[in-house]
Amino acid sequence: MAVQQRRNSKTRKNKRRTHYTLTAPTLVKCPVCGEMKLPHHACPNCGNVGGAEATASEAK
């Protein structure tokens, strides 16, 4: 296991952590019902997938 030789400064620690951000999920409007959904996924409201109706097994 690696053993730290020197203490890292606050600046170095913060530079490393600059990319530790959360991003909001991308949402698109369903063309059928207008509900917001994830792209390339079935609509949770109407079950539509890219303009085609999903079957019962795909909607689950």
Side-chain angles (χ1 to χ4, degrees):
M1 198 161 133
V3 178
Q4 182 177 339
Q5 300 299 314
R6 289 189 180 85
R7 178 179 172 170
N8 281 343
S9 68
K10 293 173 196 162
T11 305
R12 188 171 182 87
K13 172 182 67 174
N14 292 336
K15 281 182 185 179
R16 184 180 64 246
R17 292 180 179 175
T18 58
H19 306 289
Y20 288 6
T21 59
L22 294 175
T23 56
T26 305
L27 297 174
V28 295
K29 194 177 280 191
C30 176
V32 177
C33 67
E35 187 80 16
M36 297 306 280
K37 68 177 193 77
L38 291 171
H40 309 287
H41 284 73
C43 178
N45 189 36
C46 65
N48 229 293
V49 182
E53 189 67 31
T55 61
S57 62
E58 290 175 347
K60 288 183 182 178

